[in-house]
Amino acid sequence: MFKLLQTFVAVYETRSFSKAAAQRFISQPTVSVHIQQLEKELGAQLFHRNGRTEFTPTQNGRLLYQKARHLLDEWQTVTDSIGRDERLNISIGVSQTSATVLLPKLFAQMHSDQLDSVDVTIEMHNSEEILAGVLNHRFDFGMIEKPITHDYILRDEVAVDQLVLAGNLTDQRWLVREKGSGVYHYTQQYFKQNNIVPQHAMTISNNDVIVRMLAQNVGKSIVSIQSLTPDIPYQVLPETFNRSFYMIRLSHENRAEYMKWYNQVVETARQLRD
């Protein structure tokens, strides 16, 4: 039943069987079977199916979501507390720029008592992958630089960053991050504002690789000024390309020790900005 409820919550929050399947690491037919089993068990329809891909919850679906979300959160609290020593195990999804620019400074400033009792697992992904990871409980928290929003996610601004146009500015080759990354979002914004249709673009899903190529005088790219080495030329962009870093979490996160640590991270990061 827990698996059925977890699948139901994923479909409810994404409004998509395919996205729910990706979040749950199961196949789309399995998602359909889980929803059918749950509807049969409850004797009620949970979603209106508008075409092949659009789903909206019924009144029964909305009622079940409230109860299921509470039940799953309570179960998570129980499983976290049973058999656990005094150390917290916290997983964070971190975008590539924040991982190289912000995270080292952040952990250097945190007090030992904020780290000694915590085991932290850090994974680097793009912003949209981190959002999905927080939604499906793969990550407890996320650190991203793309200004994305979601009904079930709360975000806290923790730092600011300046994007610049860097590299060989006469080179027609553009080095572009992959779709879903924060820098990709701003690169497309730059293209649109300047009526640019790049004829030669290389998609590179690693910020460090882009910076290394810029250092070898290969191409140009929109990157964080903080990630550049002194030998890479750059051009300052308008203030609209000054972006924020955000910490994100589930809006219904209610684990006291986890929220205490999260708030300490947010406070420390903001002190670095000030």
Side-chain angles (χ1 to χ4, degrees):
M1 183 57 69
F2 273 103
K3 290 182 179 180
L4 302 186
L5 290 176
Q6 287 169 335
T7 299
F8 164 74
V9 166
V11 173
Y12 188 100
E13 292 181 348
T14 64
R15 299 293 199 270
S16 166
F17 276 32
S18 60
K19 291 181 180 178
Q23 286 191 11
R24 297 277 293 123
F25 299 102
I26 57 180
S27 67
Q28 188 169 334
T30 300
V31 171
S32 299
V33 170
H34 283 185
I35 298 302
Q36 291 169 5
Q37 289 177 341
L38 195 55
E39 289 180 330
K40 181 178 180 181
E41 181 73 23
L42 297 173
Q45 184 178 356
L46 299 176
F47 295 100
H48 295 299
R49 292 160 175 81
N50 306 322
R52 297 183 60 185
T53 59
E54 295 184 9
F55 301 88
T56 56
T58 63
Q59 170 124 10
N60 286 322
R62 289 190 289 271
L63 176 62
L64 177 63
Y65 175 77
Q66 296 175 3
K67 303 296 184 181
R69 185 74 272 175
H70 178 73
L71 179 62
L72 292 174
D73 288 344
E74 287 296 315
W75 179 247
Q76 183 68 50
T77 300
V78 170
T79 57
D80 286 343
S81 61
I82 291 179
R84 191 193 76 193
D85 56 22
E86 296 183 356
R87 300 183 64 81
L88 289 180
N89 292 289
I90 294 179
S91 59
I92 308 177
V94 185
S95 64
Q96 291 191 28
T97 305
S98 59
T100 56
V101 168
L102 178 60
L103 205 63
K105 299 176 183 177
L106 173 63
F107 278 90
Q109 290 298 314
M110 292 185 71
H111 299 300
S112 59
D113 61 339
Q114 297 170 332
L115 297 174
D116 290 347
S117 61
V118 179
D119 290 325
V120 181
T121 301
I122 299 171
E123 293 187 24
M124 279 203 306
H125 297 274
N126 69 42
S127 295
E128 291 191 359
E129 291 169 341
I130 293 168
L131 174 67
V134 174
L135 284 169
N136 67 25
H137 301 276
R138 178 180 176 184
F139 305 126
D140 297 302
F141 307 119
M143 183 182 292
I144 63 175
E145 69 267 8
K146 184 178 180 181
I148 51 182
T149 59
H150 192 280
D151 290 344
Y152 306 106
I153 290 290
L154 294 180
R155 71 184 192 191
D156 292 283
E157 183 183 5
V158 294
V160 294
D161 185 35
Q162 180 183 5
L163 293 176
V164 296
L165 174 60
N168 183 349
L169 303 187
T170 63
D171 197 325
Q172 296 304 307
R173 291 171 294 183
W174 282 91
L175 312 181
V176 182
R177 285 289 305 278
E178 78 285 3
K179 290 182 179 180
S181 72
V183 177
Y184 177 87
H185 167 79
Y186 285 98
T187 301
Q188 297 305 310
Q189 178 179 315
Y190 180 84
F191 288 163
K192 184 176 181 180
Q193 289 182 1
N194 293 276
N195 296 315
I196 295 175
V197 179
Q199 300 300 312
H200 305 282
M202 299 173 62
T203 300
I204 303 173
S205 59
N206 186 291
N207 200 61
D208 287 340
V209 173
I210 290 178
V211 172
R212 289 176 181 271
M213 293 183 71
L214 296 178
Q216 295 297 321
N217 204 37
V218 177
K220 55 189 174 184
S221 184
I222 306 292
V223 295
S224 166
I225 192 172
Q226 300 182 69
S227 66
L228 295 177
T229 56
D231 58 316
I232 300 177
Y234 66 87
Q235 175 183 312
V236 175
L237 298 176
E239 289 186 359
T240 53
F241 290 88
N242 292 347
R243 59 178 179 170
S244 296
F245 290 117
Y246 304 96
M247 287 290 294
I248 62 171
R249 60 182 176 88
L250 289 170
S251 57
H252 49 264
E253 175 60 69
N254 60 359
R255 295 172 294 176
E257 290 301 313
Y258 284 76
M259 281 306 303
K260 178 182 178 181
W261 192 85
Y262 173 91
N263 289 329
Q264 289 173 338
V265 170
V266 170
E267 181 181 355
T268 302
R270 286 176 174 171
Q271 289 173 353
L272 286 173
R273 178 182 62 184
D274 299 336

